[in-house]
Amino acid sequence: GANTTIFTLLNALLLQPLPVPHAAQLVTIGDPAAVHSLWHGSPATDYVSYPVYVDIRDGNHVFSGVYAAGSPAGLDVRLQGDATGEAEHPRGRLVSANFFSVLQVPALIGRVFSGNDETTNPVAVISHGYWQRRFGGERSAVGSTITINRVPVTIIGVTPPSFTGDIVGEATDVWLPITLDPALYTRENRLIDRSVSWLVLMGRLAPGATLAQARAEVPAIELRSIRAHLTGSDLTEFDRDYQTDPTRVDPGARGFSAQRPVYRTAVLLLMAGVGLVILVVCANVSNL
């Protein structure tokens, strides 16, 4: 029982790839643990601003696609016509319109985001689990309207049961186009402000491209994108910080995880302890 429990945790946190086709082709750009990060000030490289993402997306030659994802400040969700009831607070992600195409995840019913959703279309894709819990699995949920932060949003699709998002251990309920961010949060426009770093990036290697090529090309693009808009002491400070914290480009098959670096050592130690117990049991059985 202990072995099964600990190995299940170890497998989910450290070994299991994302349930998407050809997960070995995925590459993370930045810190895979920085899934909920937000920074105002000197540009970061562990997570980036939306303009830097656009420069990486449009300027690389090693990926067939690169998506960006960030955490919303909070979602207040109500069903259409329910203006007085208590709002729900599902776990959401703001993603670029190519999120599902890069991961190669189709819709179970309806459709996922397309290039047309890169505008401010108020649409959403929901998870299978949220569809079951909130809408009872009714197909009429697709095409219905919910209100998110007082913005009417149309549900256009439901993801397959196997796909709960790109963050290990944190099932996403609702995906929204990243370009909807200014409508949901009117305090600032994070789509044009280079001083707001808040997005993690994932790319899928193009046919024939390698991780080594991505590691050579992507950091250079990011560095040029950031340095071109800095001057004086800001540029000096960024260059100094970049020497100790350069852009990371890592295999992305296992997705993002804020818990992985925190619990990795503890889980490995527990697994080693369980392994010793199993050896003792095997020795006892052999003696019997």
Side-chain angles (χ1 to χ4, degrees):
N3 177 51
T4 301
T5 301
I6 298 302
F7 180 76
T8 298
L9 179 61
L10 175 74
N11 185 51
L13 192 64
L14 303 180
L15 303 178
Q16 188 70 26
L18 292 175
V20 301
H22 312 294
Q25 297 173 353
L26 297 176
V27 174
T28 58
I29 302 168
D31 185 357
V35 289
H36 303 301
S37 299
L38 173 65
W39 170 253
H40 292 74
S42 179
T45 55
D46 288 346
Y47 41 100
V48 301
S49 66
Y50 185 77
V52 171
Y53 155 66
V54 172
D55 289 341
I56 293 175
R57 180 196 65 191
D58 297 342
N60 81 87
H61 300 90
V62 293
F63 296 124
S64 59
V66 180
Y67 75 78
S71 293
L75 299 180
D76 293 333
V77 178
R78 301 177 189 270
L79 296 183
Q80 188 177 28
D82 183 12
T84 59
E86 185 175 351
E88 288 187 305
H89 308 288
R91 182 174 289 161
R93 292 290 277 170
L94 290 162
V95 298
S96 53
N98 61 350
F99 174 81
F100 292 103
S101 63
V102 171
L103 292 176
Q104 298 182 1
V105 175
L108 178 67
I109 60 173
R111 69 174 181 88
V112 292
F113 299 142
S114 66
N116 294 330
D117 300 314
E118 198 65 69
T119 62
T120 56
N121 288 344
V123 294
V125 174
I126 62 176
S127 71
H128 185 273
Y130 187 64
W131 178 52
Q132 292 291 330
R133 293 194 312 271
R134 193 66 183 88
F135 299 94
E138 293 289 340
R139 297 183 69 90
S140 60
V142 175
S144 66
T145 300
I146 57 178
T147 301
I148 302 181
N149 295 9
R150 300 184 178 181
V151 177
V153 175
T154 302
I155 297 173
I156 61 172
V158 178
T159 59
S162 61
F163 183 74
T164 58
D166 55 351
I167 305 177
V168 175
E170 297 182 27
T172 301
D173 298 317
V174 181
W175 292 271
L176 297 164
I178 202 169
T179 45
L180 197 58
D181 183 70
L184 297 174
Y185 310 101
T186 57
R187 66 192 181 283
E188 61 185 351
N189 190 341
R190 298 191 291 185
L191 300 183
I192 62 175
D193 193 341
R194 286 181 170 269
S195 68
V196 182
S197 301
W198 61 296
L199 300 172
V200 290
L201 311 183
M202 178 93 77
R204 183 178 287 275
L205 290 171
T210 65
L211 178 63
Q213 290 173 325
R215 283 175 167 165
E217 180 179 88
V218 174
I221 298 173
E222 182 176 333
L223 192 60
R224 286 197 303 269
S225 175
I226 294 175
R227 295 186 83 254
H229 295 83
L230 295 177
T231 58
S233 60
D234 292 335
L235 178 57
T236 302
E237 179 183 357
F238 172 78
D239 286 341
R240 183 180 64 248
D241 293 341
Y242 192 82
Q243 296 301 316
T244 57
D245 190 21
T247 302
R248 291 178 54 179
V249 179
D250 298 316
R254 293 179 296 134
F256 300 106
S257 175
Q259 285 78 33
R260 187 178 295 135
V262 177
Y263 297 109
R264 176 186 177 88
T265 301
V267 170
L268 290 175
L269 288 175
L270 285 172
M271 194 66 211
V274 170
L276 291 175
V277 172
I278 291 176
L279 288 177
V280 172
V281 172
C282 289
N284 289 343
V285 172
S286 299
N287 288 335
L288 289 174

